[in-house]
Amino acid sequence: MLSRLLLAIILACAALPAAAQTRWVMATPYAENFHTINIRQFIADIEKATNGSLAIQLHNNATLLPMGQIKRGVQTGQVQLGEILLSAYANEDPFFEVDGVPFLAWTWPQAEALNTATEPYIRARLERQGLTLLYMVHWDAQGFYSRTPIQSLAELRGTRFRAYNNVTSRMAELMGATPVTVQLAEVSQAFATNVINTMFTSAQSGVSTTAWDFTRYWYNVGGMRTRNAVFANTRALMALDPAMRNAILAASTAAAERGKEMAKQAEITQAERLRSQGMQLPTPSDQMMGELRGIGETLTGEWAQRAGAEGTQMLDRYRAALR
């Protein structure tokens, strides 16, 4: 009798509909770096908090969408979540490139103050495009790679300088160098064929391109700490029940804090990897840093002209926070 009752219960449970599960897709252009590791934990936190009722499939390394298509893909609902390098969308709005202005914010306290000052403007711009900003995380510091020592910017005049966007091309011009646009994947060959002989990028990128094969020095000047932004399709987000939305927002707050610490640690560990491969990492001279800050003031003024009244307002807020 008991076995018949048990069998009846099992059959009845089997006939019940399975618990509904919402499935989302996320796209990021990056392979396995600290940003991607952070995103994987972000997703794990959401799925745990929702008991698996919200499942998120991550497509990284541009396997689903390339960088230039991710933002549009989230806007149109092709995917529900995306990560981009904000400054890659500089042509859309000056506020997307402000953290890429060299020597506007070259220390961590400055980068964090700039993040606070710009976040409301960036959030508002994304909201107008049907996107909800979830969190932003900085990249590690930038520095100069060279085959020979650099004591002042005079030694960069006439060099063929790798540029990767409009603002780094302009920086090269102000230094008296010749900007040459070279994508990261082509850096090694460009050095080997003397297409470029200096570049300005992070320790992480130097490790990725095995910079010790073609340069001997890396000068960590801070430069700027650009940000990646993670956002959601607003309509998809609002269609979730409140508990799911709260889980996403809580995971976003945790990812922002965790990502900050991961970026700071990456500066240390990736620089040590350069050193372990025989590269020299001298402290930049006071003269060099002074010259770079002068260039930064010029680039910041040019950015403010592009950004208009809101740009001036934001810069005032940023500078006030540093006093």
Side-chain angles (χ1 to χ4, degrees):
M1 183 70 179
L2 182 59
S3 61
R4 287 183 180 179
L5 179 59
L6 182 60
L7 178 61
I9 292 172
I10 292 172
L11 291 174
C13 290
L16 291 174
Q21 184 184 60
T22 301
R23 294 181 178 274
W24 276 17
V25 175
M26 181 172 187
T28 172
Y30 299 104
E32 291 299 321
N33 57 37
F34 69 88
H35 286 284
T36 314
I37 294 169
N38 193 27
I39 283 174
R40 292 191 189 282
Q41 185 59 54
F42 165 70
I43 290 172
D45 289 348
I46 293 171
E47 293 183 342
K48 180 179 179 181
T50 61
N51 294 315
S53 59
L54 176 57
I56 301 171
Q57 183 179 11
L58 176 65
H59 294 269
N60 71 312
N61 204 25
T63 54
L64 182 62
L65 295 171
M67 169 83 80
Q69 295 179 22
I70 288 177
K71 183 166 167 287
R72 182 64 180 167
V74 181
Q75 285 179 269
T76 59
Q78 184 179 356
V79 296
Q80 292 77 33
L81 290 167
E83 179 190 40
I84 61 167
L85 177 69
L86 269 175
S87 59
Y89 287 79
N91 289 340
E92 284 191 15
D93 194 291
F95 272 88
F96 291 156
E97 73 170 340
V98 65
D99 57 15
V101 176
F103 305 98
L104 170 59
W106 68 90
T107 68
W108 271 111
Q110 290 170 340
E112 291 170 10
L114 186 64
N115 185 63
T116 300
T118 56
E119 192 269 351
Y121 298 93
I122 293 168
R123 181 177 297 278
R125 280 157 170 75
L126 293 176
E127 285 176 352
R128 291 197 290 267
Q129 298 174 333
L131 301 169
T132 298
L133 178 67
L134 297 178
Y135 69 88
M136 295 185 286
V137 171
H138 292 93
W139 281 90
D140 47 329
Q142 306 286 297
F144 290 94
Y145 288 82
S146 174
R147 292 167 174 160
T148 57
I150 303 171
Q151 293 299 318
S152 71
L153 295 189
E155 291 158 54
L156 291 172
R157 290 190 191 121
T159 62
R160 290 176 294 281
F161 187 88
R162 182 230 173 190
Y164 50 87
N165 58 22
N166 291 340
V167 75
T168 53
S169 290
R170 177 64 176 144
M171 181 178 73
E173 292 171 358
L174 291 172
M175 294 189 303
T178 301
V180 182
T181 301
V182 175
Q183 299 306 315
L184 194 64
E186 301 166 346
V187 160
S188 180
Q189 183 179 0
F191 268 97
T193 56
N194 215 31
V195 170
I196 57 174
N197 46 36
T198 53
M199 70 175 176
F200 179 68
T201 191
S202 66
Q204 173 73 66
S205 294
V207 170
S208 298
T209 58
T210 62
W212 47 85
D213 289 338
F214 46 82
T215 59
R216 291 186 60 197
Y217 297 89
W218 184 62
Y219 290 84
N220 181 357
V221 295
M224 67 277 201
R225 289 171 172 85
T226 53
R227 289 169 293 179
N228 281 5
V230 171
F231 44 74
N233 176 286
T234 300
R235 183 175 296 180
L237 184 65
M238 297 309 296
L240 299 175
D241 64 51
M244 285 185 181
R245 286 201 301 274
N246 289 338
I248 291 173
L249 296 178
S252 300
T253 299
E257 289 302 312
R258 184 173 57 243
K260 182 194 302 183
E261 296 309 312
M262 293 173 82
K264 290 180 178 179
Q265 188 58 37
E267 279 193 14
I268 298 169
T269 57
Q270 299 307 311
E272 285 304 313
R273 287 196 61 188
L274 293 177
R275 187 176 281 112
S276 72
Q277 294 294 328
M279 289 194 66
Q280 297 183 43
L281 280 63
T283 300
S285 68
D286 291 341
Q287 178 182 349
M288 181 177 176
M289 291 304 299
E291 291 169 339
L292 288 171
R293 284 194 278 272
I295 286 176
E297 290 175 5
T298 299
L299 293 170
T300 299
E302 292 175 353
W303 178 86
Q305 287 185 336
R306 294 194 297 275
E310 280 193 313
T312 301
Q313 180 187 62
M314 186 282 297
L315 288 174
D316 289 343
R317 180 183 300 182
Y318 163 61
R319 287 164 177 154
L322 298 176
R323 294 192 188 112

